[in-house]
Amino acid sequence: DAYKKNWNECRKMAPATANVENIDENTFFSQMIDYFVKKYKTNRDKVFAIGTSGGGHMVYKLAMTMPEKFKAMTAIVANLPVESNMDCIEKKMPMSLMIINGTDDQTNPYYGGISAKNKGLVRSTEDTFRYWATLGGYQGESKMEVLPDLNTTDGSTIEKYTYSQKNKPEVVLLKVIHGEHNYPKDIDVYLESWSFFKRQIRK
């Protein structure tokens, strides 16, 4: 739920209290990881993050500002802010990352633009995907496949775009055609993410 229902993520224009008060999210997440390592013997090399909407933006912040603490991440219905709306110092390190976004999302515009609640401009999903692919050392076109349309009543389908090579982080985009600001019904986003995470463990 974050601080008063919002994270202090990387959108400079966000009017949320967490952003205005500059809540120290990095220390919070670092200490939470330390807690799980100490109490439950968690393996520091197998820490993952997943977030939806504002949580997806927080995932991007973690990936940009403290990537060394995470093995892989999934951001759902979220795009990176444009440079003029960027409020984070980017380490620009490669990260295994999956993005799940809908093309008809009015809250987090797939093709870029003003994000909801006057939180400033965001990049398009394609540009966000390209940002992480470029950091991962990829060039050229990604591998594309159409996932099975398991729910034919929701009016949406999913195209999967993947960059994956040995000794490089995997970067994936699940493009939900006609998807809105919610979870697609053709997949379970958590099981899909867990499969993605497990692939990074085996690398």
Side-chain angles (χ1 to χ4, degrees):
D1 285 339
Y3 178 73
K4 298 186 178 180
K5 302 297 183 180
N6 285 279
W7 298 104
N8 177 23
E9 21 93 346
C10 294
R11 287 178 289 183
K12 184 186 300 184
M13 300 302 295
T17 303
N19 187 49
V20 174
E21 296 184 10
N22 198 25
I23 297 299
D24 188 352
E25 308 290 11
N26 289 52
T27 296
F28 169 72
F29 279 94
S30 292
Q31 292 185 356
M32 186 162 62
I33 292 170
D34 291 343
Y35 170 83
F36 279 101
V37 169
K38 181 178 180 180
K39 187 172 179 64
Y40 299 107
K41 309 302 180 186
T42 300
N43 186 336
R44 288 187 184 273
D45 294 329
K46 297 180 180 179
V47 178
F48 308 95
I50 181 171
T52 300
S53 194
H57 286 277
M58 187 63 224
V59 162
Y60 289 140
K61 179 173 185 174
L62 296 175
M64 287 188 287
T65 63
M66 47 190 290
E68 67 281 354
K69 291 185 178 290
F70 295 89
K71 184 70 175 176
M73 302 183 179
T74 297
I76 305 169
V77 292
N79 289 335
L80 286 172
V82 299
E83 289 188 11
S84 61
N85 194 31
M86 176 66 73
D87 199 24
C88 290
I89 298 175
E90 306 162 58
K91 289 190 174 181
K92 295 193 174 181
M93 290 175 56
M95 171 59 64
S96 296
L97 193 136
M98 174 184 284
I99 301 167
I100 306 174
N101 284 354
T103 60
D104 291 355
D105 191 334
Q106 300 299 309
T107 301
N108 174 71
Y110 186 91
Y111 299 101
I114 295 289
S115 51
K117 299 181 180 178
N118 297 316
K119 292 184 177 180
L121 290 167
V122 294
R123 307 177 201 193
S124 71
T125 297
E126 312 292 344
D127 285 345
T128 301
F129 180 48
R130 192 175 303 112
Y131 175 94
W132 297 109
T134 300
L135 286 182
Y138 294 105
Q139 297 179 346
E141 297 297 320
S142 57
K143 175 186 175 183
M144 184 273 200
E145 59 183 307
V146 178
L147 299 188
D149 188 9
L150 299 180
N151 188 316
T152 58
T153 66
D154 64 350
S156 68
T157 56
I158 300 176
E159 295 176 353
K160 182 178 182 179
Y161 298 84
T162 303
Y163 284 105
S164 181
Q165 291 182 18
K166 188 175 181 180
N167 299 322
K168 287 185 178 182
E170 184 177 350
V171 183
V172 175
L173 167 63
L174 296 183
K175 179 179 182 179
V176 186
I177 309 298
H178 299 306
E180 299 181 351
H181 197 71
N182 51 29
Y183 291 166
K185 295 180 180 179
D186 291 312
I187 59 169
D188 182 314
V189 295
Y190 298 109
L191 293 179
E192 193 75 24
S193 294
W194 180 230
S195 295
F196 173 71
F197 294 162
K198 286 191 290 185
R199 289 200 298 273
Q200 312 320 308
I201 293 173
R202 292 193 292 266
K203 286 190 174 183

mmCIF file of all heavy atoms in Angstrom, residues 3-31:
data_model
loop_
_atom_site.group_PDB
_atom_site.id
_atom_site.type_symbol
_atom_site.label_atom_id
_atom_site.label_comp_id
_atom_site.label_asym_id
_atom_site.label_seq_id
_atom_site.Cartn_x
_atom_site.Cartn_y
_atom_site.Cartn_z
ATOM 1 N N TYR A 3 3.234 4.493 1.211
ATOM 2 C CA TYR A 3 3.052 5.536 2.212
ATOM 3 C C TYR A 3 1.849 6.380 1.816
ATOM 4 O O TYR A 3 1.875 7.053 0.782
ATOM 5 C CB TYR A 3 4.311 6.392 2.301
ATOM 6 C CG TYR A 3 4.231 7.546 3.275
ATOM 7 C CD1 TYR A 3 4.260 7.331 4.659
ATOM 8 C CD2 TYR A 3 4.129 8.856 2.819
ATOM 9 C CE1 TYR A 3 4.201 8.380 5.544
ATOM 10 C CE2 TYR A 3 4.065 9.923 3.709
ATOM 11 C CZ TYR A 3 4.095 9.676 5.066
ATOM 12 O OH TYR A 3 4.038 10.722 5.948
ATOM 13 N N LYS A 4 0.781 6.291 2.613
ATOM 14 C CA LYS A 4 -0.466 6.999 2.310
ATOM 15 C C LYS A 4 -0.951 6.673 0.892
ATOM 16 O O LYS A 4 -1.374 7.532 0.134
ATOM 17 C CB LYS A 4 -0.305 8.507 2.519
ATOM 18 C CG LYS A 4 0.020 8.857 3.972
ATOM 19 C CD LYS A 4 0.033 10.354 4.224
ATOM 20 C CE LYS A 4 0.312 10.644 5.704
ATOM 21 N NZ LYS A 4 0.345 12.099 5.994
ATOM 22 N N LYS A 5 -0.824 5.376 0.559
ATOM 23 C CA LYS A 5 -1.362 4.782 -0.674
ATOM 24 C C LYS A 5 -0.549 5.074 -1.932
ATOM 25 O O LYS A 5 -0.976 4.737 -3.042
ATOM 26 C CB LYS A 5 -2.820 5.204 -0.912
ATOM 27 C CG LYS A 5 -3.750 4.827 0.227
ATOM 28 C CD LYS A 5 -3.835 3.326 0.417
ATOM 29 C CE LYS A 5 -4.820 2.956 1.503
ATOM 30 N NZ LYS A 5 -4.903 1.484 1.699
ATOM 31 N N ASN A 6 0.630 5.682 -1.799
ATOM 32 C CA ASN A 6 1.475 5.939 -2.968
ATOM 33 C C ASN A 6 2.943 5.760 -2.620
ATOM 34 O O ASN A 6 3.367 6.011 -1.483
ATOM 35 C CB ASN A 6 1.270 7.366 -3.496
ATOM 36 C CG ASN A 6 -0.041 7.535 -4.235
ATOM 37 O OD1 ASN A 6 -0.156 7.178 -5.409
ATOM 38 N ND2 ASN A 6 -1.033 8.079 -3.556
ATOM 39 N N TRP A 7 3.711 5.320 -3.630
ATOM 40 C CA TRP A 7 5.157 5.221 -3.482
ATOM 41 C C TRP A 7 5.817 6.527 -3.912
ATOM 42 O O TRP A 7 5.280 7.260 -4.741
ATOM 43 C CB TRP A 7 5.705 4.091 -4.358
ATOM 44 C CG TRP A 7 5.200 2.734 -4.015
ATOM 45 C CD1 TRP A 7 4.252 2.013 -4.700
ATOM 46 C CD2 TRP A 7 5.588 1.916 -2.913
ATOM 47 N NE1 TRP A 7 4.037 0.807 -4.090
ATOM 48 C CE2 TRP A 7 4.846 0.716 -2.986
ATOM 49 C CE3 TRP A 7 6.494 2.079 -1.857
ATOM 50 C CZ2 TRP A 7 4.983 -0.316 -2.070
ATOM 51 C CZ3 TRP A 7 6.638 1.059 -0.937
ATOM 52 C CH2 TRP A 7 5.893 -0.120 -1.046
ATOM 53 N N ASN A 8 6.996 6.768 -3.399
ATOM 54 C CA ASN A 8 7.844 7.839 -3.914
ATOM 55 C C ASN A 8 8.680 7.226 -5.029
ATOM 56 O O ASN A 8 9.786 6.757 -4.823
ATOM 57 C CB ASN A 8 8.748 8.398 -2.802
ATOM 58 C CG ASN A 8 9.700 9.465 -3.322
ATOM 59 O OD1 ASN A 8 9.448 10.090 -4.341
ATOM 60 N ND2 ASN A 8 10.805 9.658 -2.618
ATOM 61 N N GLU A 9 8.087 7.189 -6.240
ATOM 62 C CA GLU A 9 8.806 6.592 -7.366
ATOM 63 C C GLU A 9 9.431 7.699 -8.201
ATOM 64 O O GLU A 9 9.758 8.745 -7.650
ATOM 65 C CB GLU A 9 7.896 5.631 -8.148
ATOM 66 C CG GLU A 9 6.386 5.846 -7.967
ATOM 67 C CD GLU A 9 5.814 6.757 -9.025
ATOM 68 O OE1 GLU A 9 6.574 7.431 -9.722
ATOM 69 O OE2 GLU A 9 4.575 6.816 -9.162
ATOM 70 N N CYS A 10 9.639 7.468 -9.469
ATOM 71 C CA CYS A 10 10.506 8.363 -10.237
ATOM 72 C C CYS A 10 9.793 9.453 -11.026
ATOM 73 O O CYS A 10 10.428 10.143 -11.823
ATOM 74 C CB CYS A 10 11.378 7.541 -11.186
ATOM 75 S SG CYS A 10 12.557 6.480 -10.333
ATOM 76 N N ARG A 11 8.470 9.604 -10.828
ATOM 77 C CA ARG A 11 7.772 10.649 -11.575
ATOM 78 C C ARG A 11 7.828 11.967 -10.807
ATOM 79 O O ARG A 11 7.162 12.150 -9.791
ATOM 80 C CB ARG A 11 6.330 10.220 -11.850
ATOM 81 C CG ARG A 11 6.220 9.145 -12.902
ATOM 82 C CD ARG A 11 4.799 8.693 -13.129
ATOM 83 N NE ARG A 11 4.275 7.910 -12.001
ATOM 84 C CZ ARG A 11 3.077 7.350 -11.963
ATOM 85 N NH1 ARG A 11 2.260 7.502 -12.987
ATOM 86 N NH2 ARG A 11 2.681 6.654 -10.920
ATOM 87 N N LYS A 12 8.622 12.886 -11.305
ATOM 88 C CA LYS A 12 8.878 14.162 -10.632
ATOM 89 C C LYS A 12 7.606 14.942 -10.361
ATOM 90 O O LYS A 12 7.459 15.597 -9.325
ATOM 91 C CB LYS A 12 9.832 15.005 -11.490
ATOM 92 C CG LYS A 12 10.265 16.315 -10.858
ATOM 93 C CD LYS A 12 11.082 17.147 -11.846
ATOM 94 C CE LYS A 12 12.321 16.424 -12.305
ATOM 95 N NZ LYS A 12 13.169 17.262 -13.202
ATOM 96 N N MET A 13 6.647 14.864 -11.280
ATOM 97 C CA MET A 13 5.436 15.665 -11.174
ATOM 98 C C MET A 13 4.366 15.048 -10.268
ATOM 99 O O MET A 13 3.329 15.674 -10.033
ATOM 100 C CB MET A 13 4.838 15.893 -12.566
ATOM 101 C CG MET A 13 5.767 16.617 -13.535
ATOM 102 S SD MET A 13 6.297 18.231 -12.922
ATOM 103 C CE MET A 13 4.723 19.080 -12.900
ATOM 104 N N ALA A 14 4.599 13.849 -9.763
ATOM 105 C CA ALA A 14 3.581 13.180 -8.952
ATOM 106 C C ALA A 14 3.253 13.998 -7.705
ATOM 107 O O ALA A 14 4.148 14.367 -6.946
ATOM 108 C CB ALA A 14 4.066 11.793 -8.547
ATOM 109 N N PRO A 15 1.947 14.298 -7.476
ATOM 110 C CA PRO A 15 1.562 15.103 -6.317
ATOM 111 C C PRO A 15 1.398 14.288 -5.042
ATOM 112 O O PRO A 15 1.034 14.839 -4.003
ATOM 113 C CB PRO A 15 0.213 15.692 -6.758
ATOM 114 C CG PRO A 15 -0.375 14.636 -7.646
ATOM 115 C CD PRO A 15 0.786 14.002 -8.352
ATOM 116 N N ALA A 16 1.685 12.999 -5.085
ATOM 117 C CA ALA A 16 1.487 12.131 -3.917
ATOM 118 C C ALA A 16 2.332 12.598 -2.739
ATOM 119 O O ALA A 16 3.452 13.104 -2.909
ATOM 120 C CB ALA A 16 1.859 10.692 -4.267
ATOM 121 N N THR A 17 1.816 12.397 -1.544
ATOM 122 C CA THR A 17 2.521 12.801 -0.322
ATOM 123 C C THR A 17 3.888 12.141 -0.238
ATOM 124 O O THR A 17 4.867 12.772 0.189
ATOM 125 C CB THR A 17 1.682 12.437 0.918
ATOM 126 O OG1 THR A 17 0.397 13.060 0.810
ATOM 127 C CG2 THR A 17 2.356 12.906 2.193
ATOM 128 N N ALA A 18 3.972 10.884 -0.631
ATOM 129 C CA ALA A 18 5.256 10.176 -0.572
ATOM 130 C C ALA A 18 6.311 10.876 -1.413
ATOM 131 O O ALA A 18 7.490 10.942 -1.028
ATOM 132 C CB ALA A 18 5.071 8.737 -1.055
ATOM 133 N N ASN A 19 5.899 11.424 -2.555
ATOM 134 C CA ASN A 19 6.827 12.137 -3.422
ATOM 135 C C ASN A 19 7.153 13.517 -2.860
ATOM 136 O O ASN A 19 8.319 13.926 -2.820
ATOM 137 C CB ASN A 19 6.225 12.264 -4.823
ATOM 138 C CG ASN A 19 7.207 12.841 -5.826
ATOM 139 O OD1 ASN A 19 8.335 12.390 -5.916
ATOM 140 N ND2 ASN A 19 6.775 13.842 -6.580
ATOM 141 N N VAL A 20 6.131 14.214 -2.405
ATOM 142 C CA VAL A 20 6.334 15.565 -1.864
ATOM 143 C C VAL A 20 7.243 15.533 -0.635
ATOM 144 O O VAL A 20 8.135 16.382 -0.466
ATOM 145 C CB VAL A 20 4.977 16.206 -1.509
ATOM 146 C CG1 VAL A 20 5.183 17.545 -0.801
ATOM 147 C CG2 VAL A 20 4.129 16.400 -2.770
ATOM 148 N N GLU A 21 7.053 14.526 0.223
ATOM 149 C CA GLU A 21 7.875 14.402 1.437
ATOM 150 C C GLU A 21 9.169 13.632 1.192
ATOM 151 O O GLU A 21 9.973 13.470 2.113
ATOM 152 C CB GLU A 21 7.059 13.723 2.538
ATOM 153 C CG GLU A 21 5.851 14.544 2.987
ATOM 154 C CD GLU A 21 5.105 13.911 4.150
ATOM 155 O OE1 GLU A 21 5.631 12.930 4.751
ATOM 156 O OE2 GLU A 21 3.999 14.391 4.463
ATOM 157 N N ASN A 22 9.367 13.173 -0.039
ATOM 158 C CA ASN A 22 10.575 12.458 -0.433
ATOM 159 C C ASN A 22 10.865 11.269 0.482
ATOM 160 O O ASN A 22 11.957 11.118 1.039
ATOM 161 C CB ASN A 22 11.782 13.402 -0.453
ATOM 162 C CG ASN A 22 12.940 12.827 -1.254
ATOM 163 O OD1 ASN A 22 12.756 12.005 -2.149
ATOM 164 N ND2 ASN A 22 14.156 13.237 -0.906
ATOM 165 N N ILE A 23 9.867 10.407 0.626
ATOM 166 C CA ILE A 23 10.006 9.210 1.452
ATOM 167 C C ILE A 23 11.150 8.346 0.922
ATOM 168 O O ILE A 23 11.272 8.129 -0.287
ATOM 169 C CB ILE A 23 8.686 8.409 1.476
ATOM 170 C CG1 ILE A 23 7.568 9.235 2.125
ATOM 171 C CG2 ILE A 23 8.861 7.072 2.195
ATOM 172 C CD1 ILE A 23 7.824 9.632 3.550
ATOM 173 N N ASP A 24 11.980 7.836 1.823
ATOM 174 C CA ASP A 24 13.175 7.085 1.442
ATOM 175 C C ASP A 24 12.817 5.625 1.180
ATOM 176 O O ASP A 24 12.985 4.753 2.042
ATOM 177 C CB ASP A 24 14.228 7.188 2.552
ATOM 178 C CG ASP A 24 15.574 6.595 2.153
ATOM 179 O OD1 ASP A 24 15.651 5.973 1.079
ATOM 180 O OD2 ASP A 24 16.535 6.745 2.930
ATOM 181 N N GLU A 25 12.344 5.350 -0.026
ATOM 182 C CA GLU A 25 11.929 3.998 -0.375
ATOM 183 C C GLU A 25 13.109 3.032 -0.463
ATOM 184 O O GLU A 25 12.990 1.854 -0.107
ATOM 185 C CB GLU A 25 11.188 4.004 -1.721
ATOM 186 C CG GLU A 25 10.042 4.990 -1.825
ATOM 187 C CD GLU A 25 8.833 4.626 -0.982
ATOM 188 O OE1 GLU A 25 8.935 3.723 -0.140
ATOM 189 O OE2 GLU A 25 7.775 5.252 -1.178
ATOM 190 N N ASN A 26 14.259 3.519 -0.922
ATOM 191 C CA ASN A 26 15.408 2.632 -1.084
ATOM 192 C C ASN A 26 15.856 2.034 0.244
ATOM 193 O O ASN A 26 16.171 0.843 0.326
ATOM 194 C CB ASN A 26 16.556 3.378 -1.759
ATOM 195 C CG ASN A 26 16.269 3.667 -3.219
ATOM 196 O OD1 ASN A 26 15.214 4.217 -3.544
ATOM 197 N ND2 ASN A 26 17.174 3.298 -4.096
ATOM 198 N N THR A 27 15.877 2.858 1.282
ATOM 199 C CA THR A 27 16.234 2.338 2.597
ATOM 200 C C THR A 27 15.194 1.350 3.091
ATOM 201 O O THR A 27 15.523 0.304 3.663
ATOM 202 C CB THR A 27 16.388 3.488 3.604
ATOM 203 O OG1 THR A 27 17.492 4.317 3.199
ATOM 204 C CG2 THR A 27 16.669 2.964 5.008
ATOM 205 N N PHE A 28 13.914 1.642 2.829
ATOM 206 C CA PHE A 28 12.848 0.732 3.238
ATOM 207 C C PHE A 28 13.030 -0.640 2.595
ATOM 208 O O PHE A 28 12.998 -1.671 3.276
ATOM 209 C CB PHE A 28 11.487 1.318 2.845
ATOM 210 C CG PHE A 28 10.336 0.353 2.992
ATOM 211 C CD1 PHE A 28 9.865 -0.014 4.239
ATOM 212 C CD2 PHE A 28 9.737 -0.204 1.872
ATOM 213 C CE1 PHE A 28 8.804 -0.910 4.369
ATOM 214 C CE2 PHE A 28 8.682 -1.107 1.984
ATOM 215 C CZ PHE A 28 8.222 -1.452 3.240
ATOM 216 N N PHE A 29 13.239 -0.666 1.281
ATOM 217 C CA PHE A 29 13.382 -1.954 0.596
ATOM 218 C C PHE A 29 14.686 -2.661 0.985
ATOM 219 O O PHE A 29 14.715 -3.881 1.128
ATOM 220 C CB PHE A 29 13.282 -1.764 -0.915
ATOM 221 C CG PHE A 29 11.868 -1.662 -1.403
ATOM 222 C CD1 PHE A 29 11.256 -0.434 -1.564
ATOM 223 C CD2 PHE A 29 11.130 -2.810 -1.686
ATOM 224 C CE1 PHE A 29 9.937 -0.343 -2.007
ATOM 225 C CE2 PHE A 29 9.814 -2.731 -2.123
ATOM 226 C CZ PHE A 29 9.214 -1.495 -2.281
ATOM 227 N N SER A 30 15.749 -1.902 1.160
ATOM 228 C CA SER A 30 17.012 -2.510 1.581
ATOM 229 C C SER A 30 16.873 -3.174 2.948
ATOM 230 O O SER A 30 17.336 -4.308 3.161
ATOM 231 C CB SER A 30 18.120 -1.449 1.637
ATOM 232 O OG SER A 30 18.440 -0.984 0.348
ATOM 233 N N GLN A 31 16.213 -2.477 3.864
ATOM 234 C CA GLN A 31 16.045 -3.039 5.207
ATOM 235 C C GLN A 31 15.044 -4.195 5.211
ATOM 236 O O GLN A 31 15.184 -5.127 6.012
ATOM 237 C CB GLN A 31 15.622 -1.944 6.174
ATOM 238 C CG GLN A 31 16.722 -0.931 6.416
ATOM 239 C CD GLN A 31 16.371 0.102 7.479
ATOM 240 O OE1 GLN A 31 15.251 0.126 8.004
ATOM 241 N NE2 GLN A 31 17.328 0.957 7.780
#
